[in-house]
Amino acid sequence: MTNIDLQAQPHRRFNALSGDWVQVSPHRMQRPWQGQLDPPTVETRPQHDAQCYLCPGNERAAGQKNPAYEDVFVFDNDFAALLDDGRDSQADTESPLLRAAPVRGTCRVMCFSPRHDLTLAAMQAQEIETVIRCWGAQVRELRPRYRWVQVFENKGAMMGCSNPHPHGQIWALDALPNEALREQNTQATYFADMKRTLLRDYVALECERQERIVEADDHWVALVPFWAVWPFEILLAPREPVAHLDDLSPLLQSSLARVMQRLLRRYDALFSTSFPYSMGWHGAPGEASADHWHLHAHFYPPLLRSASIRKFMVGYELLAEAQRDLTPEQAAARLRQLPAE
Ligand code: ZN
């Protein structure tokens, strides 16, 4: 018996953080890499767009006017998916087959810059640092009141984001959503056994192997995880355990800004396009102990082969489990070859 050849044989890989499996089919990637098939997309936008509801000084749908903000700006979502109305409803226990539970929460929008034409990738490291500090301040304010605070950015029309103005969202709620619950369980189990966080050990192991690392400095590591589902998926985590986004020291904040900037510029260079993705932070839930939780960000970009050819999660993936052809090692190697400046 020999070990599986991870670059040649079909196999499944286990996601230690989510508990899911993913199928990898590297034998389907024998054809040579086609590279970029579309001409580079050069989109020019004005610095200020009178029609944009996120630009400074403009009016939003419900009639409020944005202030003349100069760096970041946070406001309550005018069409919030969660409400904080304080009504005390009970779980519906009529039948175990028709379960419903109340949920209370708040949704905010955060503009990353007053400039309509920028993206995080195009911003200066110091401006990204301002975004990171604002994320921390939001988490610090919301964390005592809600079990889960989800900071995220949905970027690009391909991801269903209707407005190109650089912005993200913050949803906070009094329940643990599915992804949080899964990572809570895997990390708590690992910590109970090993007395170290799962991601501290995982990041250290990846730094030894090097083959999946895309960007790293003394404090942060960005890598294509062994178990990645999306072609150019990234896991970004500090080398040493940190529980919450608002626990980052100034040193970790400035280091993170530079690592994110370099990563996002590699992304943009990959298919010569402003790279679409969903990204978000997973910090410890608002529970008593957070020793087991290791802060991290996930980047889930849909693009596969060019600025227009994307991966779809359909068919087998919808009905059985996720599958990929390009291996995570090949994806990391491609991202490493690109300019980060
Ligand atoms: Zn996570």
Side-chain angles (χ1 to χ4, degrees), residues 210-226:
Q210 283 292 316
E211 58 182 345
R212 284 174 290 270
I213 305 286
V214 173
E215 202 62 66
D217 69 2
D218 289 346
H219 310 285
W220 291 89
V221 178
L223 54 90
V224 182
F226 177 76

Side-chain angles (χ1 to χ4, degrees), residues 17 183 282 296 298:
L17 197 52
E183 292 190 356
H282 284 164
H296 59 278
H298 298 279

Side-chain angles (χ1 to χ4, degrees), residues 7 13 29 33 211-214 223-225 228-234 263 266-267 270-271 275 301 303-304 324-338:
Q7 301 309 318
R13 296 188 186 190
M29 283 297 291
W33 172 249
E211 58 182 345
R212 284 174 290 270
I213 305 286
V214 173
L223 54 90
V224 182
V229 163
W230 294 95
F232 296 93
E233 180 175 331
I234 287 283
L263 169 68
R266 287 182 196 276
Y267 265 172
L270 182 61
F271 298 126
F275 206 63
L303 292 181
L304 176 61
R324 63 182 294 144
D325 296 345
L326 178 77
T327 65
E329 297 73 34
Q330 291 167 331
R334 252 167 229 153
L335 287 169
R336 276 198 303 270
Q337 286 162 8
L338 297 162

Side-chain angles (χ1 to χ4, degrees), residues 124 138 271 298 308 311 326:
Q124 302 299 315
Q138 290 291 314
F271 298 126
H298 298 279
S308 61
K311 176 185 178 70
L326 178 77

Side-chain angles (χ1 to χ4, degrees), residues 36 55 58 69 80 112 129 210 214 226 246 285 306 312 332 334 340:
Q36 174 200 321
C55 277
N58 288 359
Y69 64 96
F112 297 154
E129 222 179 300
Q210 283 292 316
V214 173
F226 177 76
D246 54 310
S306 76
F312 286 98
R334 252 167 229 153

Side-chain angles (χ1 to χ4, degrees), residues 24-325:
V24 187
S25 312
H27 59 294
R28 298 214 302 188
M29 283 297 291
Q30 300 306 355
R31 61 188 163 176
W33 172 249
Q34 295 288 307
Q36 174 200 321
L37 301 171
D38 300 323
T41 44
V42 188
E43 193 201 356
T44 47
R45 296 201 300 268
Q47 292 193 14
H48 186 279
D49 179 349
Q51 303 304 313
C52 171
Y53 64 91
L54 297 175
C55 277
N58 288 359
E59 200 169 289
R60 302 202 302 272
Q64 301 93 327
K65 196 176 171 191
N66 295 329
Y69 64 96
E70 286 172 0
D71 41 36
V72 291
F73 168 54
V74 179
F75 62 93
D76 286 331
N77 195 318
D78 300 319
F79 304 99
L82 292 156
L83 298 173
D84 213 356
D85 60 3
R87 221 177 315 164
D88 255 334
S89 40
Q90 277 191 342
D92 187 338
T93 51
E94 187 195 321
S95 160
L97 298 179
L98 301 172
R99 281 175 71 182
V103 64
R104 193 179 56 81
T106 189
C107 298
R108 296 176 177 176
V109 176
M110 177 180 158
C111 298
F112 297 154
S113 164
R115 288 264 306 264
H116 186 76
D117 58 332
L118 288 185
T119 61
L120 282 177
M123 285 163 64
Q124 302 299 315
Q126 260 189 337
E127 297 171 317
I128 300 175
E129 222 179 300
T130 303
V131 171
I132 292 165
R133 277 199 301 272
C134 184
W135 280 338
Q138 290 291 314
V139 172
R140 173 144 301 180
E141 181 203 327
L142 293 166
R143 179 155 76 74
R145 285 194 280 142
Y146 300 100
R147 287 186 76 197
W148 187 250
V149 182
Q150 185 59 62
V151 171
F152 66 102
E153 179 192 7
N154 218 16
K155 179 183 172 234
M158 195 173 267
M159 298 308 284
C161 181
S162 50
N163 190 332
H165 192 112
H167 72 286
Q169 299 186 52
I170 301 150
W171 291 22
L173 63 159
D174 64 351
L176 279 194
N178 294 333
E179 295 297 312
L181 193 59
R182 281 136 52 100
E183 292 190 356
Q184 169 85 325
N185 292 336
T186 54
Q187 292 185 101
T189 304
Y190 190 91
F191 191 82
D193 289 348
M194 309 298 284
K195 309 291 175 235
R196 294 185 306 269
T197 66
L198 187 157
L199 284 184
R200 186 194 175 280
D201 283 2
Y202 178 62
V203 167
L205 178 64
E206 289 290 15
C207 287
E208 271 170 40
R209 301 287 171 92
Q210 283 292 316
E211 58 182 345
R212 284 174 290 270
I213 305 286
V214 173
E215 202 62 66
D217 69 2
D218 289 346
H219 310 285
W220 291 89
V221 178
L223 54 90
V224 182
F226 177 76
W227 51 74
V229 163
W230 294 95
F232 296 93
E233 180 175 331
I234 287 283
L235 180 72
L236 170 61
R239 289 176 188 263
E240 295 301 322
V242 172
H244 303 286
L245 199 45
D246 54 310
D247 286 343
L248 299 179
S249 64
L251 183 63
L252 257 77
Q253 289 172 335
S254 65
S255 151
L256 173 60
R258 283 192 298 271
V259 168
M260 268 182 61
Q261 186 192 47
R262 292 173 59 86
L263 169 68
L264 295 176
R265 289 179 178 183
R266 287 182 196 276
Y267 265 172
D268 281 1
L270 182 61
F271 298 126
S272 303
T273 193
S274 184
F275 206 63
Y277 57 77
S278 279
M279 73 79 66
W281 287 96
H282 284 164
E287 254 108 65
S289 164
D291 290 347
H292 62 290
W293 195 285
H294 193 116
L295 174 75
H296 59 278
H298 298 279
F299 288 78
Y300 298 132
L303 292 181
L304 176 61
R305 266 201 299 278
S306 76
S308 61
I309 301 178
R310 60 162 295 168
K311 176 185 178 70
F312 286 98
M313 292 281 198
V314 295
Y316 186 79
E317 314 199 291
L318 205 50
L319 290 153
E321 72 186 17
Q323 184 270 337
R324 63 182 294 144
D325 296 345

